[in-house]
Amino acid sequence: MHEVDQTTEQMVRSVLAYAENRLRMNPVPLDKGVLSAEEVYRRLGGLIRDQGRNPDEVLGVYASVIAPSVVSADSPRFLGFIPAAPTKASLLFDMLVSCASIQGISWLEASGAIAAENTVLRLIADEAGLPASAGGCFVSGGSAGNLSALAVARETAKKRLGPDAAARRLRVVVGTDAHSSIVNTLRLLEMDALEVSTPDHRLTAETVRAATDAESDLSDVAAVVTTAGTTNAGIIDDLAGVGALAHERGWWLHVDGAYGGSGIFAHSLRPKYDGIEQADSFVLDPHKWLFTPFDCCALLYRDPQLARATHTQDASYLDVIHASDGEWNPTDYAYHLTRRARGLPLWFSLAVNGVDAYREAIEVAASLARETATLIKAAPHLELIREPDLGVVLFRRIGWKPEDYDAWAARLHNDEVAFIPPSKWEGETVGRFAFLHPATGMDLVREILARTE
C-alpha cells in the first residue's frame, strides 16, 4: 500500500471540504462573473510555474477567482439556455467515478461499470418503446450523439445504394428548427440537408411529404431527423407521422431528444412522444432533464449491430478488447475510443432516488411552464407566443425593442434574481423561460415578470 505524503493528505482534506461545502449549498448561488476578462487573466497569470505551489493556495485562487466567475447552471434561478439540476447523489458519484479513473472503453477493462450503464440505457429504451434489441452507449453530449448516429445512417444508406454510393452525395431531411448540431454534423459527414420549411416550427409528415414530393429523385436520401423538444421553444415534431413516412420510404429515422427526450418519463407528457418507438436512433441528454452532471448523452440504436459495423476501430493493440458473446464495448457504438464511464452517476442517482422521483421532477418543470403561460396571458403588457409543449415559455413584452430585453435581463442577473437572457423568435427578440430545476418556484417567476412592468 502506498503511503500518502503530507502535502497530498492536506490537498485531499481541503478539496473534499470545499466539495462538501458546495454540495451542502441549498440553494446554489447564481453568481455572475464580477471580474473583467483582463482582471481574470491577470489574477491567473503566473500561477502555473516550473515549481509547484501549495494546494491550498491554488484552491484559494479557484474559490476567489474562477468559481465566482462561473454562472451556476444548476441554480434554480438559472432560466436561460437549457439549465441543469444534478442530484446530490449524481454529483457525489461523479466524484467517485473520477477518483477511480474508470476507463469505460471495453468490457475487458470495465465490465461492471458498462453493465451498470447498460441497465440505464435499457430503462431509457423501454420508456421510449424501443425493442429489446436496442442498445448503445453514453457519449459527451447531443452533438456527439447526433454525429455518431448519423454516421451510422450514412453507412447504412451506402450499403443500400451499393456501388452507386461512391459517386453520390447523400442527403438528410431536416426541419428548419432542427438543432444547429445537425447542420454541422451533415457538413462534417459530407452530406447535404434537404431542408423542410416548417411554418409552425414543427416537422410533420405533411410538410415532409410536400417538400420531398417536389424532388425528382429521392434515392440519395439517407435519413430524416426529427426533434423531440426543440432547444429554443421545446416543440416536439410529429414523430408518429414522420416516422411512418420514413419507414415507408426506407429512410433512417433519427430522433434528436437531447433537451426534451427525457420528457418520456413524465406520464402527462408521454403522449406527445407517440411514434418515438419507430426511431432507428435516439439521443437524450441526462445532463439536462435527467438531473446528471455534465457531460452525459444517452445514444441508443434500434439495431446496435449497424453501429458496430460503422464505429468499431481496428488496431493491433485493440484486438484483445473485441467483444465476445455477452460482452459490450461502448467504443463500438460512437465515434469515440477513450471515454469515461459517464453513465454511472445517473445509474447511482436513479437507484438511490427511484424512477418515480425523476418522473415527478420532470412534471414540476412542465407545470411551471403551464402556470407561467397562464400568468403571461393575464398580463395586459405581455403576450404569450405559443402554448408550451415542455418546459420552455416564449413571451413578448409589448413595446419593447431588443435593447430593452437586454437591459431587463442584465438587471435581473446583476441583482442575482435570475439568469434569463432573451432569445429570438422569427427574427424578433423575445423573452424566454427555460424551466428544468424542480426547486424553481412561481414566486421567482412573478418577481421576474413584475420587472417587465
Side-chain angles (χ1 to χ4, degrees):
M1 181 175 178
H2 297 291
E3 292 186 4
V4 178
D5 62 48
Q6 188 174 356
T7 300
T8 301
E9 189 168 321
Q10 177 59 41
M11 178 172 60
V12 170
R13 284 199 301 267
S14 297
V15 171
L16 288 180
Y18 183 93
E20 181 178 2
N21 182 60
R22 181 63 166 73
L23 285 165
R24 290 185 184 278
M25 289 180 177
N26 187 23
V28 170
L30 182 60
D31 289 325
K32 57 182 178 179
V34 296
L35 301 177
S36 67
E38 181 181 7
E39 180 65 10
V40 170
Y41 282 113
R42 186 190 69 77
R43 293 178 64 173
L44 293 177
L47 192 68
I48 299 173
R49 60 186 185 184
D50 291 340
Q51 301 301 314
R53 293 182 181 273
N54 183 289
D56 284 343
E57 178 189 359
V58 181
L59 185 60
V61 173
Y62 173 81
S64 62
V65 179
I66 298 175
S69 301
V70 176
V71 182
S72 300
D74 56 341
S75 166
R77 296 178 179 273
F78 190 102
L79 301 172
F81 309 129
I82 298 297
T87 65
K88 302 300 183 185
S90 67
L91 289 167
L92 283 164
F93 212 76
D94 199 48
M95 290 176 59
L96 190 152
V97 171
S98 295
C99 289
S101 192
I102 298 175
Q103 168 68 296
I105 287 178
S106 70
W107 190 264
L108 175 67
E109 298 166 281
S111 58
I114 291 165
E117 287 186 317
N118 283 350
T119 64
V120 179
L121 291 170
R122 183 69 259 154
L123 172 66
I124 295 170
D126 287 344
E127 292 292 324
L130 293 174
S133 60
C137 64
F138 287 95
V139 296
S140 62
S143 296
N146 289 332
L147 175 61
S148 298
L150 289 175
V152 180
R154 182 190 65 181
E155 296 308 301
T156 302
K158 283 182 177 180
K159 290 178 183 177
R160 170 172 56 82
L161 289 170
D164 293 340
R168 308 185 70 176
R169 190 174 172 101
L170 300 179
R171 293 187 291 172
V172 173
V173 177
V174 298
T176 49
D177 284 71
H179 191 266
S180 56
S181 67
I182 298 296
V183 175
N184 192 51
T185 283
L186 297 183
R187 179 178 59 80
L188 293 173
L189 293 175
E190 296 188 326
M191 295 195 289
D192 294 321
L194 198 172
E195 191 170 87
V196 176
S197 178
T198 51
D200 191 38
H201 301 271
R202 183 172 183 259
L203 193 69
T204 65
E206 291 73 22
T207 57
V208 172
R209 195 181 295 277
T212 55
D213 283 352
E215 299 285 320
S216 58
D217 181 11
L218 294 173
S219 62
D220 61 345
V221 174
V224 57
V225 175
T226 55
T227 305
T230 58
T231 305
N232 194 39
I235 299 168
I236 300 173
D237 286 340
D238 172 21
L239 304 179
V242 176
L245 182 60
H247 287 180
E248 172 191 317
R249 296 186 173 180
W251 302 337
W252 182 280
L253 174 64
H254 177 62
V255 178
D256 177 9
Y259 152 53
S262 300
I264 58 176
F265 283 86
H267 294 312
S268 72
L269 300 177
R270 184 59 181 84
K272 296 176 182 288
Y273 298 87
D274 286 349
I276 198 171
E277 68 279 356
Q278 301 177 75
D280 293 295
S281 54
F282 169 48
V283 302
L284 67 80
D285 286 354
H287 64 230
K288 291 170 183 165
W289 222 358
L290 283 185
F291 315 109
T292 300
F294 297 113
D295 50 0
C296 183
C297 169
L299 165 61
L300 284 161
Y301 301 95
R302 171 177 294 274
D303 183 355
Q305 297 311 311
L306 297 174
R308 283 190 67 188
T310 298
H311 290 299
T312 296
Q313 298 188 32
D314 291 314
S316 57
Y317 71 97
L318 294 177
D319 287 346
V320 69
I321 75 168
H322 289 318
S324 302
D325 289 346
E327 298 181 357
W328 193 269
N329 292 338
T331 189
D332 292 338
Y333 302 98
Y335 70 82
H336 56 209
L337 184 60
T338 300
R339 67 178 287 276
R340 66 193 300 265
R342 53 175 46 89
L344 281 183
L346 177 57
W347 165 81
F348 183 75
S349 184
L350 280 165
V352 167
N353 293 295
V355 178
D356 282 349
Y358 275 75
R359 297 190 199 280
E360 292 165 10
I362 293 169
E363 294 280 12
V364 168
S367 178
L368 282 167
R370 291 191 295 268
E371 290 182 48
T372 300
T374 299
L375 283 180
I376 290 169
K377 287 187 289 188
H381 64 293
L382 301 176
E383 289 181 356
L384 181 68
I385 290 174
R386 63 180 294 139
E387 292 291 340
D389 274 2
L390 300 174
V392 176
V393 182
L394 298 175
F395 70 96
R396 178 182 296 112
R397 202 293 187 184
I398 299 170
W400 272 10
K401 297 178 180 178
E403 54 268 28
D404 296 313
Y405 287 97
D406 291 338
W408 167 73
R411 287 193 299 270
L412 286 167
H413 194 193
N414 287 336
D415 294 343
E416 297 195 55
V417 172
F419 178 77
I420 181 169
S423 186
K424 289 286 183 68
W425 180 257
E426 298 180 349
E428 175 192 5
T429 301
V430 297
R432 175 180 177 274
F433 286 92
F435 294 110
L436 185 148
H437 203 300
T440 301
M442 286 303 297
D443 286 345
L444 175 61
V445 174
R446 292 185 185 92
E447 182 178 1
I448 292 168
L449 292 178
R451 292 198 177 205
T452 64
E453 295 176 358

